[in-house]
C-alpha cells in the first residue's frame, strides 16, 4: 500500500493555502468597502461643486442673493470633504497593498503545495512501477515452477 511520507506536510500546506484564501477574501471585501466609501465621498464632492457652480453662475434660472458667509461655508465644507477624500484614498491604497501582498503569499503557498503534489505523484508512479515489477517477477517465478513441475511430473 502506498504511503507518502510527506503527507502531513502536504496537508499542512493545503491548510495554509485555505487560510490565505480566506484572508484574501476578507481583505478584498474590506478593499471594496473602502473603494465604495471613496466613490461616495467623490460623488458627494462632485454634486456639491456643481451646486456651488450653479449658484455662482445663476444657471439654475433663479436670481439669488447669497451671503458671502454661506459661500465661505460651502468652500470650507468642500475643503473638509477634499481632506476626507485624501485620507480615504490613502486608506483605500493601503487596503489594496494588503490585498497585493496577500496574493503574493498565496501564490507562494500554491507553489509550495504543487511542488509537494508533484513529488507525491512521482513517488506514487515509482511505487506502481515497483509493484508491477514485483508482480511480474512473481508471475514469472510461478510460470517457471509450473513448467518445471509439469516437466518432471510427466
Amino acid at each position: 500500500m502506498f504511503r507518502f511520507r510527506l503527507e502531513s506536510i502536504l496537508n499542512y500546506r493545503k491548510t495554509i493555502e485555505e487560510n490565505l484564501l480566506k484572508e484574501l477574501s476578507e481583505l478584498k471585501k474590506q478593499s471594496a468597502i473602502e473603494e465604495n466609501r471613496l466613490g461616495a465621498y467623490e460623488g458627494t464632492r462632485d454634486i456639491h461643486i456643481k451646486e456651488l457652480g450653479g449658484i455662482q453662475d445663476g444657471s439654475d434660472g433663479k436670481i439669488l442673493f447669497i451671503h458671502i458667509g454661506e459661500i465661505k461655508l460651502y468652500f470650507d465644507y468642500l475643503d473638509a470633504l477634499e481632506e476626507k477624500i485624501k485620507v480615504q484614498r490613502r486608506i483605500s491604497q493601503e487596503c489594496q497593498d494588503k490585498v497585493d501582498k496577500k496574493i503574493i503569499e498565496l501564490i507562494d503557498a500554491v507553489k509550495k503545495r504543487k511542488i509537494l503534489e508533484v513529488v507525491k505523484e512521482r513517488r506514487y508512479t515509482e511505487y506502481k512501477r515497483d509493484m508491477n515489477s514485483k508482480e511480474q517477477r512473481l508471475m514469472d517465478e510461478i510460470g517457471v515452477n509450473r513448467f518445471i513441475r509439469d516437466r518432471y511430473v510427466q
Side-chain angles (χ1 to χ4, degrees):
M1 180 166 158
F2 178 70
R3 186 177 173 301
F4 185 53
R5 291 185 329 195
L6 302 174
E7 190 72 38
S8 60
I9 295 172
L10 179 60
N11 291 336
Y12 174 72
R13 293 212 172 143
K14 285 179 183 178
T15 304
I16 288 175
E17 186 179 336
E18 289 169 3
N19 290 339
L20 287 172
L21 275 170
K22 288 177 188 174
E23 291 172 15
L24 178 62
S25 175
E26 290 299 318
L27 286 173
K28 281 185 175 182
K29 285 178 189 175
Q30 186 63 37
S31 181
I33 289 169
E34 298 300 338
E35 281 294 324
N36 289 339
R37 189 172 292 146
L38 176 61
Y41 286 158
E42 289 174 340
T44 301
R45 177 198 58 198
D46 294 344
I47 289 170
H48 288 298
I49 286 174
K50 286 180 184 176
E51 285 178 5
L52 181 61
I55 291 171
Q56 287 177 334
D57 294 342
S59 62
D60 57 0
K62 300 177 186 174
I63 298 174
L64 296 175
F65 293 100
I66 299 176
H67 191 274
I68 189 88
E70 290 179 39
I71 292 177
K72 182 172 178 358
L73 282 174
Y74 236 110
F75 277 109
D76 288 345
Y77 172 72
L78 289 173
D79 287 342
L81 194 55
E82 195 62 42
E83 189 60 35
K84 275 186 176 180
I85 289 172
K86 285 179 186 176
V87 169
Q88 190 60 39
R89 275 193 186 121
R90 183 181 51 77
I91 290 170
S92 183
Q93 185 60 46
E94 287 173 1
C95 283
Q96 188 57 46
D97 291 345
K98 288 178 183 178
V99 167
D100 294 342
K101 287 178 185 176
K102 195 58 70 174
I103 288 172
I104 291 170
E105 285 180 44
L106 180 61
I107 289 171
D108 188 47
V110 168
K111 285 179 184 177
K112 288 179 179 179
R113 177 189 50 84
K114 285 187 176 185
I115 287 171
L116 275 180
E117 285 179 345
V118 167
V119 170
K120 180 180 180 178
E121 186 62 35
R122 285 183 183 163
R123 297 251 172 97
Y124 181 67
T125 302
E126 186 178 302
Y127 170 78
K128 283 188 342 186
R129 190 176 338 113
D130 287 346
M131 293 306 290
N132 287 339
S133 175
K134 288 178 183 178
E135 184 179 348
Q136 186 62 45
R137 280 187 296 213
L138 182 63
M139 291 299 191
D140 289 347
E141 187 176 326
I142 290 172
V144 167
N145 287 340
R146 276 192 183 163
F147 176 76
I148 292 173
R149 186 187 65 198
D150 289 345
R151 189 86 142 137
Y152 289 115
V153 169
Q154 293 175 353

